Amino acid sequence: MSLSRRTLLQASLGAALTAAPYITYAQGSQHIVIIGGGMAGATAAKYLKRFNPQLKVTLIEPNSALVMGALSNRVIHGSLTMSSISQNYDALVSKHQIKLINAYATEIDPEKRVVRMGKESIVYDRLIVAPGLDFNYEGIPGLTTPQAQALVPHAWTAGPQTAQLRSMLKEMRQGGVMAIHIPKAPYRCPPGPYERACLVADYLKNFNPKGKVIVYDSNPSIQAKKELFEAAWKSEFAGIVEYVPNAEIERVDAATGMLELQLHGKQKVDVLNVIPPQRAGSIAQRTGLANVANRWCGVDFLTYESTQIKNIHVLGDSIASAPGMPKSGHMANQEAKVCAAAIAALSLGQPVQVNPIMTNTCYSFFSASKSAHVAAVFRYDATKKVMAPTAGAGGLSAAPTVAEGVYAMSWATNIMYDTLG
Amino acid sequence: MKNLNWVIVPFLLLAMQSGAKAQPAKAASVADAQAVQWASSCMTCHGTDGKVQGVGVQIDTTSAAGIQARLLSFKAGSLPSTIMGQLMKGYSEDEIKRIALQLAQSK
């Protein structure tokens, strides 16, 4: 709503009803626009309407379905299909009265409070930017062109590349080698690459017994669930998974599958999966929201409002996470609720709550049936103004189990329901 | 995409109609807004409004006291769990009580 329109609306209401509460009510019916219908944006849309049904909520999303990143390694493994990890936006529209615009947001004008989608545009009172990640190939010689990138899928946003990597693994020659390259932290889903190594190894064990998967990690050690992955690679995947730490890329020859590493020489592989370094989604970068290390978006952890631009909130993988807070779908869902509660409170002239608490639960599969979790509780640290892990809470599974495999699928079903259902 | 901007007249009418009712927001208008946010955290795994889908664990929302007792048992470790014990150790007894009151209001 433009300023003039809001003024007009308030004036009309004031004239018609002559009571201050109705002015508050007009504020309560603000227009919130959300860019991006991933876990963060879709959850925010749904919970904004739950926390203040008078809000007008518009979600701008170019894809027809949300494809779940959390289960996408199991599509590469061959134990789930793309359709089983995808869900459309129908319930958000029909059940929660969200206006869905199937378009790609191209530009934000913070002065005029306008989001442009090519030639179309929409005016907001508050904007939530939840565009996910942008992949940065600038530091990887040999992978800077779209042609080269097409031969080396990252499959780190669930979608067509997930299906592509599945096909490449399935078609790999008997006795072939797949390499997974991991960027320096922070990146989306800390345990994800190691889970991928386990599931690829499990596939190889059954269908390509002489095949091998090498994990080249830019980091000095495994970034999450370390003990569990190490144990699996020493036992059931011994001789199948090779782990190489401190393995930064020198260059890539996409056509021949040659990976050249800074400290570990050259390795020619049959299937190359390079997960590039990541940064805030491109629209966040272009709008000037990425004010932390020129890479991530700084936010106020009570409202998720940008520390750079007023009336714009940022959610999900694009934010500069507090130390210890992973970039995960579960975190995105949790952050979105805090943000939605804050925006609802502001729209109603109520105080923003100052003691948010959120949880993270993250399952990794080690086969089609076995899974293990890591869990944590985060609460607001008013001194440091960040979300901080709560001492004494959280923890790791002792070992992957079939029972937790069932719980992991229940988690997946319910987070999708809580986000889109 | 013709109707991207809302037309002012129906917008105004809607506002006036609803404005005649009492409190606008279901959740935002309840007394313990902080606990509303805390309890919303549970819904990620246990279903929006505690309506679990599939094989997940259904929260028995019949009594706040019952929920509170169960959560405290997880915290104490007397009720075995994979995750709930680890999570409940991060909440105070007062926070658990307030969360239980919210969950018991789920419809």
Side-chain angles (χ1 to χ4, degrees):
Chain A
M1 197 187 330
S2 69
L3 189 62
S4 60
R5 184 173 295 173
R6 181 175 26 206
T7 309
L8 177 59
L9 176 58
Q10 289 181 350
S12 307
L13 283 167
L17 304 159
T18 62
Y22 294 107
I23 304 291
T24 306
Y25 182 79
Q27 288 167 350
S29 55
Q30 287 176 352
H31 183 205
I32 315 297
V33 173
I34 303 168
I35 297 175
M39 298 304 255
T43 304
K46 173 170 163 175
Y47 274 81
L48 278 167
K49 290 297 281 186
R50 291 172 59 80
F51 289 147
N52 180 359
Q54 270 69 43
L55 291 171
K56 296 270 182 191
V57 179
T58 301
L59 179 63
I60 304 171
E61 167 57 46
N63 296 312
S64 58
L66 194 168
V67 187
M68 196 180 197
L71 292 177
S72 63
N73 281 332
R74 286 200 48 187
V75 173
I76 295 164
H77 177 249
S79 54
L80 288 176
T81 60
M82 286 301 291
S83 65
S84 70
I85 64 164
S86 307
Q87 195 168 323
N88 66 32
Y89 296 93
D90 291 358
L92 279 189
V93 174
S94 61
K95 220 168 119 186
H96 302 286
Q97 288 80 51
I98 310 295
K99 187 179 173 79
L100 179 68
I101 300 178
N102 193 226
Y104 189 82
T106 48
E107 194 190 346
I108 300 165
D109 183 337
E111 295 293 319
K112 293 180 181 160
R113 296 192 188 178
V114 164
V115 177
R116 296 200 176 88
M117 299 151 280
K119 287 176 183 170
E120 303 288 340
S121 65
I122 188 166
V123 179
Y124 63 83
D125 290 303
R126 280 186 187 275
L127 177 66
I128 295 175
V129 179
L133 293 168
D134 188 33
F135 293 97
N136 183 3
Y137 285 98
E138 284 159 22
I140 312 178
L143 275 189
T144 52
T145 66
Q147 293 82 352
Q149 289 162 20
L151 298 172
V152 183
H154 53 70
W156 215 240
T157 290
Q161 292 204 5
T162 309
Q164 184 190 352
L165 193 56
R166 165 67 194 154
S167 304
M168 288 166 72
L169 177 63
K170 204 177 161 191
E171 288 157 19
M172 185 168 84
R173 70 179 171 89
Q174 287 295 307
V177 176
M178 172 170 164
I180 301 171
H181 191 275
I182 307 172
K184 278 206 162 150
Y187 57 86
R188 166 188 282 163
C189 188
Y194 313 104
E195 177 196 57
R196 179 173 289 179
C198 288
L199 290 173
V200 167
D202 189 65
Y203 166 80
L204 294 173
K205 206 173 168 176
N206 290 308
F207 297 100
N208 192 343
K210 288 182 180 162
K212 206 174 147 181
V213 53
I214 311 178
V215 182
Y216 290 107
D217 196 338
S218 300
N219 299 287
S221 65
I222 297 169
Q223 295 297 296
K225 302 188 179 109
K226 186 168 184 276
E227 307 91 308
L228 299 181
F229 289 121
E230 280 177 343
W233 298 346
K234 275 182 197 157
S235 53
E236 63 245 63
F237 303 131
I240 306 175
V241 178
E242 183 188 339
Y243 179 70
V244 185
N246 297 308
E248 288 192 68
I249 289 184
E250 186 78 38
R251 66 170 52 250
V252 170
D253 187 342
T256 60
M258 183 69 84
L259 185 61
E260 207 174 318
L261 300 145
Q262 287 180 8
L263 299 174
H264 302 274
K266 293 180 180 181
Q267 175 77 42
K268 193 175 181 305
V269 299
D270 298 275
V271 174
L272 185 50
N273 171 216
V274 174
I275 304 165
Q278 293 145 39
R279 57 192 176 193
S282 64
I283 194 160
Q285 304 266 352
R286 282 182 280 120
T287 311
L289 293 162
N291 59 352
V292 175
N294 204 22
R295 189 176 174 194
W296 306 111
C297 303
V299 293
D300 172 345
F301 286 102
L302 294 180
T303 59
Y304 291 85
E305 188 171 28
S306 163
T307 52
Q308 191 69 33
I309 305 176
K310 286 277 159 207
N311 290 309
I312 299 184
H313 301 245
V314 187
L315 286 175
D317 291 341
S318 280
I319 70 164
S321 317
M325 264 174 95
K327 297 185 180 297
S328 76
H330 197 105
M331 293 301 328
N333 168 284
Q334 299 269 313
E335 291 160 6
K337 291 170 187 172
V338 174
C339 172
I343 290 177
L346 290 168
S347 72
L348 294 161
Q350 295 170 353
V352 169
Q353 298 303 310
V354 294
N355 292 307
I357 306 174
M358 58 177 73
T359 59
N360 187 43
T361 299
C362 159
Y363 288 99
S364 295
F365 279 93
F366 289 69
S367 68
S369 60
K370 284 186 182 176
S371 180
H373 80 267
V374 62
V377 179
F378 300 90
R379 56 176 61 227
Y380 189 65
D381 179 332
T383 315
K384 293 181 182 163
K385 298 193 161 122
V386 293
M387 295 301 290
T390 305
L396 190 65
S397 305
T401 62
V402 172
E404 288 218 82
V406 175
Y407 298 156
M409 292 310 289
S410 161
W411 169 86
T413 303
N414 281 286
I415 193 172
M416 287 298 257
Y417 173 69
D418 192 41
T419 302
L420 291 171
Chain B
M1 276 194 265
K2 278 179 191 167
N3 298 318
L4 288 184
N5 295 317
W6 280 290
V7 181
I8 198 161
V9 173
F11 190 65
L12 185 61
L13 284 175
L14 181 71
M16 287 168 66
Q17 284 164 4
S18 312
K21 293 173 193 166
Q23 288 294 315
K26 182 175 70 176
S29 65
V30 298
D32 195 351
Q34 183 66 80
V36 170
Q37 183 270 308
W38 295 341
S40 73
S41 173
C42 313
M43 311 305 180
T44 312
C45 297
H46 294 283
T48 309
D49 290 327
K51 293 186 178 69
V52 82
Q53 309 294 301
V55 294
V57 178
Q58 175 70 50
I59 301 172
D60 178 356
T61 58
T62 47
S63 103
I67 298 168
Q68 184 185 354
R70 201 168 169 82
L71 294 180
L72 288 172
S73 301
F74 283 129
K75 183 178 167 73
S78 53
L79 195 57
S81 64
T82 52
I83 286 179
M84 285 306 294
Q86 295 176 349
L87 295 182
M88 285 306 106
K89 285 186 174 64
Y91 293 81
S92 72
E93 290 191 10
D94 177 61
E95 286 161 359
I96 286 173
K97 182 182 180 181
R98 287 161 66 189
I99 290 169
L101 282 168
Q102 289 302 321
L103 291 174
Q105 289 174 35
S106 302
K107 287 173 207 126

